[in-house]
Structures are given as structure tokens and as C-alpha cells.
Amino acid sequence: MATKPPQIAILGAGTFVRSQYIPRLSEISDLIILKAIWSRTEESARGAVEIARKHFPGVECKWGDNDLDEIIQDKSITAVAVVLAGQSQVDMSLRMLRAGKHVLQEKPAAACISELETALYNYKSIFAEVPGQPIWALAENYRFEPGFVECKKLIADLGKMMSVQVIVEGSMSSSNPYFSSSWRRNFNGGFILDMGVHFIAGLRMLVGCEVVSVSARTSHVDTTLPPPDNVSSVFHLENGCSGVFVMVVSSRSPKIMWRVVGIKGTVQIERGYQGQHGYLVTVFGEDGQSESSFFPFSGVTDELKAFINDVSQQQANKNGGQYEAEPRLSFVEGARDVAVLEAMLESGAKHGALVHVNKF
């Protein structure tokens, strides 16, 4: 007998919900039932629901505390996507988890190490003895991008790793829809943390090991952005290799690139455009020859599919023990991304002092 698709709600109705969540969920509308979209304000909720109804005619519009309580108490809603301001996501996620709902929370996992530690302690203590506990997933589409998946495979053939470079020249100018986002401007680490978790996630995925320590310099040059808006860091990996991470929040010449040099060659992945946005993956062999392939973006869709699959499997497996959820969605993975950036920001505040990365 076919299992009924899980019913989900989206908590949040901002730019990313409207531009990414609704269109991407519409691509996999056979896998889920979008029951409700909630926001703190009626205006925001109605704006998002109007877009969603083109794809999900039955979606309900919810706003305010009373409607939030209705979602919490609605047993038919088995999972929620938490897409709110970074300062309030952890509290909302834990509230939903306590109600027995599976959660996909947008990045960053939290604002700082202390919030992460408290969040994970609370999650574990709530469900310490409960089999089949609700899933707490962290949305990090870079871990699902086909370009990164392919690049990770290619790096395995490079032999001993010698050097890693991550170069990020962002484009967070007034033309960017997130430029005026008030919560990002009042967030610990500003755009460096909010944007930077993506690039650290890409780095950690590609090298296949953890960053153990960093030494960084930070600066604040563009006064239209919150401080800091630049970071240059040397990082050290647990495999013995070192590398550099350079991030400029807003550049006139945007460029985003990861490059891993091994004893048998080099692999590079760079953001690009070939009729559509994606990643150009290039392998440089021992003979000096290079070969490139282009992979269009599909990470948001793929991570949503993985989460929905986990929820469906957990439902089907309710009485048969714990289902192992997709590790790339683990909240702990998101915590490790934040930990690396917090270490860089701490080192920058200490004028380049060596800082060890907190372990999760």
C-alpha cells in the first residue's frame, strides 16, 4: 500500500522562501503536501501563500502566535521547514522538535558556539530515551550540489594533499535582495558568518576532514556593510595539510573558487554560468592536461528531497527502530561549519592569534 506523502509547513515567508523553497518544492510536489505557510505578520504570510497557491492550491495561510500554536498541535503536520531570522531559528526548531515534528532548519545552525552547545544538549536531553526521535536537519545546499559531489570523488584520486585554497569575492551590494536584511546586520559575524557557512561547508566536504585550527585577520572596509566584511585566514586540517581561506563580502569582480592540490594533480571547482548558474569542475593531471565539466545548480531541490525521504522513511519505520537519516543534513555538520568561522572571527579579533576550532 502506497504511503501518503508527508504534510509539511513552512515557518517563514521571506525572500528565500519565495524565491527558493516554494519553486523548489513545486518541482517535487508529488512527494509532499504543503499544508501551511506561517509568518509573524499577516501581510508576509499572504504574500508567500499567493505565490505557493499556483503550485499548492490547498496551502493554508497562517500568522501570529495563535496560528503557530495550531501548527504545533496539528498532528497531521509531520515536518516543518524553519526559515526565519538567524537569531530565532534554534528556539523555534526546538519548539517544533518538542512537539514531535521533524525539522529542516535553514543555515546558519546558530549564532555562536554557546548557542550550538545549548541547542544540542537540549535536543539530546529531550529525546534521550525515545526511539525514532524527530529529525533535526540543517539545510546546507552546497553539500548536495552535483558539482561538489563530483569534485569530492575526483579529489580522492589526487594522492597526498599538499595545499587548499578557498577564494570568495562576494557580491553583497545594494542590488542584492539580502543586502538590507536587518537580522543579518545585527547577527554575530554579519554576512561573514551567514554567507561564510556555505563556503566552509564546501571546504569541509571536499577535503573530507576537519579544520583543527586557524589564524586570521579581519577588517571592515565597506561601511555600507556590518563589520567585519573581509577575512584572510590560514587554516590547518587534521590530515596535516594547510590552506588559505579568503573572503570579501562585496567585490566588483565576484569570484568563488575552491582548489585542492595533491601530489598527483589538482582539482578546482568554481562558480560559473553556462546558460544557467552552476559549478565548473576542472581536473589538472600529472601530464599538465586539464579536463572540465559543468554542473548546474540543484542543491536546494536535492536537499529537500533528501529531507522528505528521511521523514517518509522515519514514518514508515516508526515501530521498527531508528532510521539513519542523511548525514549531509545533520545539524552537527552545520554546527561544525559555524565553529570554523567563529574561530576565524575570534582570531581576527586577536590580531591573528592561533585559535583551535571547537569540536562537535
Side-chain angles (χ1 to χ4, degrees), residues 129-175:
E129 304 300 325
V130 181
Q133 69 186 56
I135 297 162
W136 191 358
L138 193 284
E140 179 46 74
N141 54 299
Y142 280 45
R143 284 191 257 275
F144 288 84
E145 289 295 348
F148 279 91
V149 174
E150 178 63 19
C151 204
K152 183 174 173 63
K153 293 176 190 170
L154 295 169
I155 286 169
D157 298 326
L158 291 182
K160 191 172 177 65
M161 208 175 282
M162 297 194 293
S163 174
V164 184
Q165 302 164 49
V166 183
I167 307 296
V168 179
E169 296 173 15
S171 55
M172 188 51 66
S173 64
S174 57
S175 61

Side-chain angles (χ1 to χ4, degrees), residues 140 142-143 148 166 197-207 258 337:
E140 179 46 74
Y142 280 45
R143 284 191 257 275
F148 279 91
V166 183
V197 287
H198 280 316
F199 313 123
I200 297 297
L203 164 67
R204 292 181 50 250
M205 179 179 176
L206 294 179
V207 299
W258 296 253
D337 297 335

Side-chain angles (χ1 to χ4, degrees), residues 118-352:
T118 303
L120 286 166
Y121 173 80
N122 288 337
Y123 178 54
K124 287 172 183 172
S125 62
I126 296 164
F127 302 106
E129 304 300 325
V130 181
Q133 69 186 56
I135 297 162
W136 191 358
L138 193 284
E140 179 46 74
N141 54 299
Y142 280 45
R143 284 191 257 275
F144 288 84
E145 289 295 348
F148 279 91
V149 174
E150 178 63 19
C151 204
K152 183 174 173 63
K153 293 176 190 170
L154 295 169
I155 286 169
D157 298 326
L158 291 182
K160 191 172 177 65
M161 208 175 282
M162 297 194 293
S163 174
V164 184
Q165 302 164 49
V166 183
I167 307 296
V168 179
E169 296 173 15
S171 55
M172 188 51 66
S173 64
S174 57
S175 61
N176 190 297
Y178 301 103
F179 178 80
S180 300
S181 166
S182 58
W183 76 258
R184 289 174 175 87
R185 290 178 171 273
N186 298 318
F187 201 58
N188 177 48
F191 288 107
I192 290 283
L193 185 66
D194 177 57
M195 293 164 60
V197 287
H198 280 316
F199 313 123
I200 297 297
L203 164 67
R204 292 181 50 250
M205 179 179 176
L206 294 179
V207 299
C209 66
E210 296 304 328
V211 179
V212 293
S213 63
V214 301
S215 175
R217 287 285 185 163
T218 53
S219 63
H220 187 209
V221 179
D222 186 342
T223 54
T224 67
L225 295 165
D229 65 327
N230 297 278
V231 59
S232 298
S233 178
V234 174
F235 59 81
H236 309 280
L237 301 173
E238 62 185 356
N239 66 3
C241 183
S242 295
V244 293
F245 177 90
V246 177
M247 181 177 173
V248 178
V249 172
S250 187
S251 164
R252 301 287 184 195
S253 53
K255 183 184 184 72
I256 302 175
M257 179 194 80
W258 296 253
R259 187 175 171 93
V260 179
V261 182
I263 205 157
K264 295 180 183 176
T266 297
V267 173
Q268 177 177 297
I269 178 168
E270 183 173 0
R271 182 85 65 92
Y273 183 80
Q274 294 190 10
Q276 53 191 317
H277 292 282
Y279 292 102
L280 182 68
V281 175
T282 306
V283 183
F284 301 87
E286 292 181 90
D287 57 2
Q289 299 296 307
S290 66
E291 189 175 332
S292 297
S293 303
F294 187 77
F295 298 85
F297 289 156
S298 70
V300 175
T301 305
D302 293 348
E303 76 182 354
L304 288 169
K305 283 169 75 173
F307 176 67
I308 293 160
N309 180 65
D310 282 349
V311 169
S312 299
Q313 293 289 342
Q314 189 86 309
Q315 281 180 210
N317 207 36
K318 223 164 198 178
N319 302 315
Q322 180 70 23
Y323 166 72
E324 289 297 323
E326 166 60 65
R328 287 175 293 174
L329 283 172
S330 164
F331 185 83
V332 172
E333 286 296 317
R336 289 169 180 155
D337 297 335
V338 171
V340 174
L341 279 164
E342 182 161 303
M344 289 181 182
L345 291 168
E346 182 185 337
S347 176
K350 294 177 177 177
H351 308 292

